[in-house]
Amino acid sequence: MGQIIDGKMVAEHLRKGIAEEVNKLKRETGLVPGLAAVLVGDNPASQIYVRNKRKACEEVSIYSEEYKLPEETAESYLLTLIEKLNHDEKIHGILVQLPLPKQINEARILRTVSPLKDIDGFHPENVGLLVEGNPRFIPCTPHGVIKLLDYYGIEIQGKEAVVVGRSNIVGKPVSLLLLHRHATVTICHSRTKSLGEVTRRADILVAAIGRARLITEDMVKEGAVVIDVGINRLPDGKLAGDVDFENVCNKASFITPVPGGVGPMTIAMLLWNTFSSAKNSKGF
Ligand code: GUN
């Protein structure tokens, strides 16, 4: 049985460090970092994310505002709210929870968030900076994945990394981060032929495709490091990752559980990006 990567513990450790930094910033400069989270509609998973974000902010003394808008919100209303937050001096980070309802053009919304307050790193300018290898804000979940590998002393350089999933939120950015750390990176997706043949090459396997238990034991090389970014709701209401944990854990050298693996890291990195945005806004 491989070693369990305890994301809950690592995230707690990181949050302690962030709380100390936030308090030091307050003491020395009077500046309080502020985060605005915008949630449109009542997607149950999104509601949980946003609630957890608020709690985490309180814990590290980051000021937070929450905007809960109805499912039928017009795009123009959301654009106006974002413009207002762009100019609000108390707010250093703006998070628009995805996915958005159908009547709203997601790309237009993400382009409207000021790139200097885009703590998700989803604005095209910030995506460009990341591609270039000179990121302003690293997307939170991919950043959390790298932090976990580093915390457990897992070497990335020269390794075969296989990422299953190509989303803008996780698959693409985590592939870039692994590439910048000198891994040989392969990206697979729903139309990849012989997925198992590719995943079996992985020294580091990142599953971020959103299909419950898609990655089975036969698709994993003995001793691989397996990072599960999936959070899927099963018909019986239970949560499952993209990896068949029960079986894969016997083959992996390190493996993240769901829940308690990557999930808690995402929020810790969001707090970090908000703190870093506040500092940068004043040139500290
Ligand atoms: N939906 C799922 N993950 C994320 C995230 O990291 N940020 C935002 N804004 N929406 C998400």
Side-chain angles (χ1 to χ4, degrees):
M1 165 111 179
Q3 186 175 349
I4 307 276
I5 295 182
D6 185 350
K8 200 162 161 241
M9 178 270 292
V10 181
E12 200 175 307
H13 172 78
L14 289 175
R15 286 200 306 271
K16 273 207 186 109
I18 295 167
E20 279 166 24
E21 297 257 11
V22 169
N23 286 321
K24 181 161 171 271
L25 183 70
K26 269 190 203 174
R27 245 189 351 262
E28 293 179 354
T29 70
L31 180 63
V32 179
L35 171 73
V38 182
L39 172 62
V40 187
D42 35 34
N43 177 317
S46 292
Q47 282 180 323
I48 297 171
Y49 288 145
V50 170
R51 191 176 346 122
N52 286 344
K53 280 165 194 162
R54 192 186 54 203
K55 274 199 302 204
C57 283
E58 276 171 23
E59 207 188 290
V60 303
S61 314
I62 286 181
Y63 169 74
S64 77
E65 291 178 359
E66 210 175 290
Y67 295 85
K68 283 191 177 167
L69 307 178
E71 181 79 26
E72 62 277 10
T73 299
E75 183 180 290
S76 59
Y77 183 90
L78 186 55
L79 290 170
T80 307
L81 171 62
I82 293 170
E83 292 289 2
K84 186 183 86 112
L85 294 168
N86 282 345
H87 292 101
D88 186 335
E89 291 221 344
K90 295 191 300 302
I91 298 300
H92 308 95
I94 301 170
L95 175 145
V96 182
Q97 186 66 40
L98 304 178
L100 287 165
K102 285 183 289 296
Q103 74 277 14
I104 296 176
N105 179 329
E106 192 171 289
R108 187 174 300 147
I109 297 299
L110 297 182
R111 268 187 264 121
T112 303
V113 173
S114 161
L116 298 173
K117 296 190 177 187
D118 169 41
I119 36 89
D120 268 322
F122 293 164
H123 187 287
E125 180 179 318
N126 290 326
V127 175
L129 288 169
L130 176 68
V131 172
E132 205 180 56
N134 181 28
R136 178 188 281 134
F137 296 114
I138 302 177
C140 302
T141 303
H143 199 181
V145 169
I146 301 293
K147 284 271 174 193
L148 282 179
L149 296 174
D150 286 345
Y151 189 91
Y152 282 85
I154 295 161
E155 198 178 27
I156 302 173
Q157 173 170 306
K159 295 291 164 69
E160 285 269 355
V162 174
V163 177
V164 185
R166 55 173 157 181
S167 70
N168 291 331
I169 298 181
V170 183
K172 284 183 209 166
V174 84
S175 302
L176 284 166
L177 295 179
L178 290 163
L179 179 64
H180 295 155
R181 294 285 296 271
H182 314 293
T184 302
V185 182
T186 306
I187 306 176
C188 305
H189 46 79
S190 54
R191 305 208 196 152
T192 297
K193 299 210 170 95
S194 315
L195 181 62
E197 261 172 48
V198 186
T199 57
R200 269 192 296 277
R201 292 211 304 261
D203 300 310
I204 300 173
L205 179 60
V206 180
I209 197 165
R211 294 230 232 129
R213 298 174 183 157
L214 176 78
I215 307 295
T216 46
E217 195 179 356
D218 56 304
M219 297 166 76
V220 177
K221 181 167 82 173
E222 188 77 46
V225 174
V226 179
I227 305 291
D228 190 351
V229 184
I231 302 181
N232 308 288
R233 184 80 57 190
L234 297 173
D236 66 4
K238 289 196 184 130
L239 284 184
D242 290 353
V243 175
D244 178 10
F245 181 90
E246 294 290 305
N247 296 308
V248 172
C249 69
N250 297 315
K251 250 185 164 175
S253 58
F254 289 89
I255 185 166
T256 61
V258 174
V262 175
M265 295 296 289
T266 298
I267 294 186
M269 301 329 295
L270 180 78
L271 301 173
W272 176 259
N273 281 356
T274 306
F275 163 73
S276 124
S277 177
K279 261 195 352 182
N280 289 339
S281 74
K282 302 287 181 203
F284 296 149

